[in-house]
Amino acid sequence: MGTLFWKFFIVIWLALLTMGGGMGAAFWLRHNPALNANGAEPQIAVNSAAPYLNAANLIFSKSGVNGLRSFLAEFRHNPALPPLFATDDFGKDLLGREVAPNILAQAKSLAASHSNGVRRIKTGEGQTYLLFALYSENNPSTNPRPLQPDPPPPWLPITLGFFISLIFSGVSAWYFAKPIRQLRSAFAAVAGGDLNTRADRTMGQRHDELADLGKNFDHMVSQIQLSVNVQQRLLHDVSHELRSPLARIQTAIGLAYQQPDKIPLMLERIEKESQRMNDLIGELLAISRLEAGVIGKLEVVDINELITEIVEDARLEADSKNVEIDLNIAGEIFLQGYYDLLSRAVENVLRNAIKYTRSHSKVSVDAKLGVSGHQLHIDITDQGPGVAETELSSIFDPFFRGSHSQKSQSIGLGLTIALKALETHHGKINVSNRVEGGLKVEIILPVT
Ligand SMILES: Nc1ncnc2c1ncn2[C@@H]1O[C@H](COP(=O)(O)OP(=O)(O)OP(=O)(O)O)[C@@H](O)[C@H]1O
Ligand SMILES: [Mg+2]
């Protein structure tokens, strides 16, 4: 469960809890008799009754139960005095008055807690009485306990709950809406063409799904930016590459006009340059098809057949340089793939090897399955100058031509196409200079 889930969960829960708490408090206040019946119930006077209790105690000690009885009777008849009671163990008052059970319970609990609102007196016969005065409306001095402050009106907790949940909801809505607003403006900026926009910077310290969304957005924009840059560079390189043969064709035409005797030579030049332009456009089309995913039909490819065919085609070129091709395929190898793409990848690497190896040297092609049987390795090695270590990482870039290449015969797209074709097959291509000289290109393809 994601962090955003818990944030939503806690916020909604707390808002409901606050509102529910307010309603609950209101309900409780409304129905709690202790709070609502403030002072209506008879109560035992506590501190303020002390002088009357002292007097009653004195009379009892002097004149016994009878003296106390008449003292109580006097209090009973004088409305200016608080009602004074003396109850025995059975809750019976000395004057035979009815004593409410809650008053008896109060008296017992006050006596147990040695409160000076109740005196415990004992007769010679062992009878115990609890002596206490009741709070009387007529005797405010006997106020039993400070009056409870009025309970808050029930609308107060509801209103409080309402406002707290309002603030809560407002803050949470702002908290959740802010990153979405930021993302929205980031989207708008990117849609407006500003590919330098990043959303994560504005997300602060967040660590939730919205922050992840910001990171994913940034990743997406970086990828788009990269791809746009690559395309722009390619477009720039393509125009540059097309311009050179075109310029040469125009020069040749100009020369042919000026010197008609050179027409055959110029025509030959024009043919060569147009062939170069044709090759260039062909390779560019191959790249664009690969990028667009127009890659033909997936089939079971017989690697033996594929490599043999390429090697046979290349022999003519190799022979003209007295280059020997040493072909070595270990057993029958089949894999699921696109025949034309694989063929193009291997052919580009092999043609490079033949092109760059020394005359009278050897190019080796070795194909074998890896130890696990899940990978096909095609190693193509030559005996040429290899590639400068600083150039090794660039040789797959479009239009890259190394220091050893003959610029007039190179376009610099062969390895770019090979890499893309192999990536389509989830394969890899590694290049390294051999210790004994020459380049080793290793093609690795998964065999399923
Ligand atoms: N076997 C090799 N030996 C030495 N350098 C090589 C070898 N293979 C490739 N390179 C270097 O890598 C560069 C890029 O190779 P790539 O095949 O992409 O282009 P290219 O051969 O120059 O032109 P083309 O598009 O006609 O193939 C070459 O220009 C060359 O400098
Ligand atoms: Mg090449």
Side-chain angles (χ1 to χ4, degrees), residues 348 351-352 355-356 412-415:
N348 279 343
R351 287 198 185 278
N352 279 351
K355 183 155 73 170
Y356 296 105
L413 288 178
L415 287 182

Side-chain angles (χ1 to χ4, degrees), residues 283 348 352-353 355-356 382 385-387 391 395 400-405 409-416 439:
E283 299 208 327
N348 279 343
N352 279 351
K355 183 155 73 170
Y356 296 105
D382 63 64
V387 176
E391 294 179 347
I395 60 172
F400 177 82
R401 279 158 291 188
S403 35
H404 304 297
S405 67
Q409 290 167 24
S410 296
I411 296 174
L413 288 178
L415 287 182
T416 311
L439 195 74

Side-chain angles (χ1 to χ4, degrees), residues 35-347:
L35 288 171
N36 287 297
N38 198 6
E41 293 258 314
Q43 305 255 351
I44 291 179
V46 185
N47 294 331
S48 50
Y52 307 116
L53 296 183
N54 288 344
N57 208 0
L58 197 71
I59 291 196
F60 174 73
S61 54
K62 287 233 158 57
S63 324
V65 174
N66 287 336
L68 181 62
R69 192 175 285 122
S70 13
F71 187 70
L72 295 186
E74 233 173 87
F75 268 70
R76 185 182 189 181
H77 299 300
N78 190 346
L81 293 171
L84 208 56
F85 286 83
T87 54
D88 62 14
D89 292 343
F90 304 103
K92 256 188 83 191
D93 173 47
L94 214 52
L95 293 185
R97 288 169 294 185
E98 197 67 45
V99 185
N102 70 323
I103 293 291
L104 282 174
Q106 271 184 55
K108 278 181 190 157
S109 101
L110 286 170
S113 62
H114 303 291
S115 156
N116 61 6
V118 175
R119 300 286 151 83
R120 197 190 286 275
I121 50 177
K122 212 170 184 177
T123 62
E125 293 84 48
Q127 175 67 47
T128 320
Y129 287 95
L130 293 181
L131 198 58
F132 55 87
L134 279 193
Y135 160 71
S136 156
E137 294 249 335
N138 301 326
N139 296 66
S141 62
T142 57
N143 200 352
R145 55 184 163 83
L147 266 180
Q148 296 279 342
D150 273 345
W155 55 262
L156 190 70
I158 295 186
T159 320
L160 259 175
F162 176 78
F163 279 109
I164 292 176
S165 57
L166 195 76
I167 294 170
F168 220 73
S169 310
V171 171
S172 359
W174 173 83
Y175 180 76
F176 291 118
K178 191 174 162 227
I180 295 174
R181 255 195 335 269
Q182 286 163 338
L183 266 175
R184 200 182 56 188
S185 54
F187 270 108
V190 170
D194 180 6
L195 291 179
N196 289 317
T197 309
R198 294 292 179 273
D200 193 33
R201 282 182 217 132
T202 54
M203 293 278 178
Q205 296 298 309
R206 292 185 82 102
H207 294 290
D208 55 19
E209 287 86 340
L210 288 171
D212 292 346
L213 197 64
K215 286 194 183 82
N216 290 352
F217 173 84
D218 288 354
H219 181 65
M220 178 192 77
V221 178
S222 304
Q223 289 302 108
I224 294 175
Q225 197 172 30
L226 194 75
S227 144
V228 167
N229 288 347
V230 168
Q231 296 298 326
Q232 276 174 349
R233 190 131 169 249
L234 194 68
L235 192 68
H236 174 267
D237 292 346
V238 169
S239 348
H240 179 78
E241 292 299 318
L242 282 174
R243 201 184 263 164
S244 315
L246 260 177
R248 286 193 287 270
I249 289 174
Q250 279 170 340
T251 315
I253 294 173
L255 273 173
Y257 272 127
Q258 286 166 11
Q259 304 167 19
D261 56 311
K262 287 203 172 147
I263 288 179
L265 190 70
M266 290 305 118
L267 278 178
E268 205 179 298
R269 181 96 174 261
I270 290 169
E271 191 184 9
K272 209 174 114 199
E273 294 300 341
S274 10
Q275 184 56 47
R276 187 177 158 77
M277 279 173 70
N278 195 37
D279 290 350
L280 171 66
I281 291 167
E283 299 208 327
L284 281 172
L285 274 175
I287 292 182
S288 111
R289 276 206 205 96
L290 272 171
E291 281 178 349
V294 186
I295 45 186
K297 154 168 141 283
L298 196 66
E299 57 191 302
V300 177
V301 178
D302 180 347
I303 294 299
N304 240 298
E305 180 194 323
L306 180 131
I307 297 181
T308 314
E309 205 172 284
I310 296 168
V311 169
E312 288 317 314
D313 278 357
R315 277 206 199 280
L316 199 70
E317 223 170 304
D319 289 348
S320 68
K321 262 182 95 176
N322 284 314
V323 169
E324 184 195 331
I325 303 180
D326 183 12
L327 176 61
N328 211 334
I329 306 176
E332 301 261 274
I333 306 170
F334 294 92
L335 62 80
Q336 282 270 333
Y338 303 94
Y339 192 95
D340 289 345
L341 288 189
L342 286 176
S343 167
R344 210 162 176 147
V346 178
E347 188 188 347

